Amino acid sequence: MASASLLKTSPVLDKSEWVKGQTLRQPSVSVIRCHPATPSALTVRASSYADELVKTAKTIASPGRGILAMDESNATCGKRLASIGLENTEANRQAYRTLLVTAPGLGQYISGAILFEETLYQSTTDGRKMVDVLVDQNIVPGIKVDKGLVPLPGSNNESWCQGLDGLASRSAAYYQQGARFAKWRTVVSIPNGPSALAVKEAAWGLARYAATSQDNGLVPIVEPEILLDGEHGIDRTFEVAKKVWAEVFFYLAENNVMFKGILLKPSMVTPGAECKDKATPEQVAEYTLKLLYSRIPPSVPGIMFLSGGQSEVEATQNLHAMNQKTHPWHVSFSYARALQNTCLKKWGGRPENVKDAQGALLIRAKANSLAQFGKYTGEGESEESKQGMFVKGYVY
């Protein structure tokens, strides 16, 4: 628990340091050379953005705040819009994203917002840049940089995440546009193994992405999502998660990624969605914290959990249970559906419903802020917010 009371947070990073339009610094690199007795010298590269990366990570990992993940691809956003009877047009996507970023006082509970590329360059319906609206709310803009999942040859019907080609130049452009952190989502499937090949590919891809992001001024969110799919119990999830995070941190170190300038977005340790034995929030917290303490260095500023198809209330309850004592990291949230589900349904595509929809978003954001402080009570939760959102084989 970071604090017993909910206070407005003063961001560590000044707005002027990440406002759109600032001059893009050249990616100069400081080099420290070691000269051992062997003929070849060891070269360690340190990003010229090191101090800024640490400030950005600390800003996002600030007390009582978490991340709004609104980086759904246009195809996935289209599925969300279709659920309320709207066509998947840029105008409708713009209207919905405008609703989210303009919610009054959102920055009291949200420290960062992950955007899809379209949104990073998009304006609100009244002509303001989405990035500028976020900055005015003291919310750090972020960007989804991966190019999605594709089949992994030689595996057990598993996937790997593409997008490393051209990542450096894209990251530099995103930084110039105002983004200050990045997200790369890869997945591990327990019913399909996971195979050693899939785990290694996931860890290596995350490490290369993280190093490239830091080299271009973006704090990387490291996200190996262990999918909820399956009938396995919580102990199996725990064993797989231990293996995955061991591989991830091995390759992060191999790629000279600065741990103080990253954020993690892990899955909570839960049973498979189709397991008959359900876990209580206390059990989820016990297993998840045991995992974190065995694998995550204390220098990492923040653990921003994904919801992964849990209901809005379930995701909040589990976060609250984990914050019943202090930790070396900021233990918080990076939710998409678990913040937006009720909000989207209340909006329904109708302009007259925007205020009520924003109110629903703020209720969920505040609930998770309280959970980050370990002060969530669950009072007044709607039946809608208790409905699960698991989708088998979910594609983001």
Side-chain angles (χ1 to χ4, degrees):
M1 293 180 291
S3 171
S5 60
L6 227 172
L7 304 174
K8 281 196 173 182
T9 49
S10 300
V12 178
L13 190 63
D14 292 337
K15 290 184 193 177
S16 60
E17 296 185 56
W18 40 276
V19 71
K20 178 189 176 298
Q22 83 171 51
T23 303
L24 176 63
R25 290 186 285 172
Q26 295 301 313
S28 59
V29 172
S30 56
V31 179
I32 303 169
R33 299 189 183 279
C34 302
H35 300 283
T38 55
S40 60
L42 173 66
T43 302
V44 179
R45 305 172 70 245
S47 172
S48 61
Y49 294 97
D51 291 343
E52 182 181 342
L53 292 168
V54 172
K55 288 181 180 179
T56 300
K58 286 183 177 179
T59 297
I60 297 171
S62 53
R65 301 205 294 169
I67 295 173
L68 169 62
M70 48 179 291
D71 58 313
E72 298 89 350
S73 66
N74 287 347
T76 300
C77 192
K79 294 176 183 177
R80 305 273 174 86
L81 294 174
S83 72
I84 57 170
L86 289 185
E87 290 185 54
N88 185 15
T89 64
E90 182 177 356
N92 285 335
R93 294 193 300 270
Q94 178 193 40
Y96 180 57
R97 290 161 176 165
T98 296
L99 180 160
L100 296 175
V101 303
T102 59
L106 185 64
Q108 184 176 350
Y109 315 116
I110 300 297
S111 55
I114 312 172
L115 309 178
F116 190 60
E117 186 176 68
E118 178 182 74
T119 317
L120 183 69
Y121 292 91
Q122 202 169 39
S123 296
T124 61
T125 52
D126 62 358
R128 293 178 294 162
K129 296 292 185 183
M130 294 274 188
V131 169
D132 294 342
V133 173
L134 290 169
V135 169
D136 288 342
Q137 294 240 52
N138 288 333
I139 298 172
V140 183
I143 178 69
K144 170 185 166 72
V145 299
D146 68 77
K147 293 295 184 179
L149 301 169
V150 292
L152 177 63
S155 72
N156 185 28
N157 294 320
E158 295 163 287
S159 301
W160 68 286
C161 188
Q162 58 187 343
L164 289 176
D165 288 351
L167 180 59
S169 59
R170 286 189 288 118
S171 297
Y174 296 150
Y175 181 95
Q176 191 171 39
Q177 184 64 16
R180 289 299 176 267
F181 71 102
K183 172 199 161 179
W184 176 285
R185 175 186 180 258
T186 192
V187 302
V188 173
S189 171
I190 293 179
N192 289 354
S195 66
L197 173 63
V199 172
K200 183 175 181 178
E201 176 59 43
W204 177 256
L206 283 166
R208 290 306 308 143
Y209 138 77
T212 303
S213 296
Q214 289 189 339
D215 228 24
N216 290 280
L218 303 179
V219 169
I221 289 182
V222 178
E223 180 184 359
E225 179 176 354
I226 298 172
L227 296 172
L228 281 177
D229 304 54
E231 301 176 356
H232 54 277
I234 195 169
D235 289 292
R236 175 61 176 156
T237 306
F238 178 74
E239 291 303 318
V240 171
K242 280 202 305 181
K243 174 62 175 175
V244 169
W245 281 104
E247 290 278 296
V248 167
F249 272 95
F250 174 79
Y251 286 114
L252 288 173
E254 285 282 289
N255 283 273
N256 298 312
V257 173
M258 182 177 64
F259 293 169
K260 293 189 297 182
I262 68 174
L263 295 167
L264 305 186
K265 185 171 178 175
S267 310
M268 297 177 190
V269 180
T270 67
E274 296 154 303
C275 179
K276 295 179 181 179
D277 298 323
K278 303 304 179 184
T280 65
E282 291 72 26
Q283 289 172 318
V284 171
E286 179 186 356
Y287 274 85
T288 305
L289 291 173
K290 185 178 177 181
L291 169 69
L292 296 183
Y293 277 94
S294 69
R295 290 290 182 266
I296 312 304
S299 57
V300 173
I303 316 291
M304 322 298 285
F305 282 101
L306 59 89
S307 55
Q310 300 176 72
S311 74
E312 291 177 329
V313 168
E314 187 180 7
T316 307
Q317 289 174 330
N318 290 337
L319 180 63
H320 166 76
M322 281 185 271
N323 278 299
Q324 294 309 298
K325 64 177 183 177
T326 57
H327 307 293
W329 331 272
H330 175 76
V331 176
S332 193
F333 60 93
S334 177
Y335 295 164
R337 288 172 288 171
L339 282 173
Q340 298 180 42
N341 189 51
T342 302
C343 167
L344 178 66
K345 292 181 178 180
K346 280 193 174 292
W347 176 49
R350 298 178 178 274
E352 64 269 24
N353 293 344
V354 166
K355 187 175 180 180
D356 286 345
Q358 289 179 329
L361 173 63
L362 291 171
I363 286 172
R364 289 262 50 88
K366 183 177 180 179
N368 285 291
S369 175
L370 288 168
Q372 200 285 310
F373 285 123
K375 296 295 181 181
Y376 170 74
T377 64
E379 294 178 3
E381 292 286 14
S382 67
E383 288 304 312
E384 178 74 39
S385 65
K386 298 175 184 177
Q387 294 179 8
M389 294 176 281
F390 168 71
V391 176
K392 193 171 184 176
Y394 181 68
V395 177
Y396 204 76

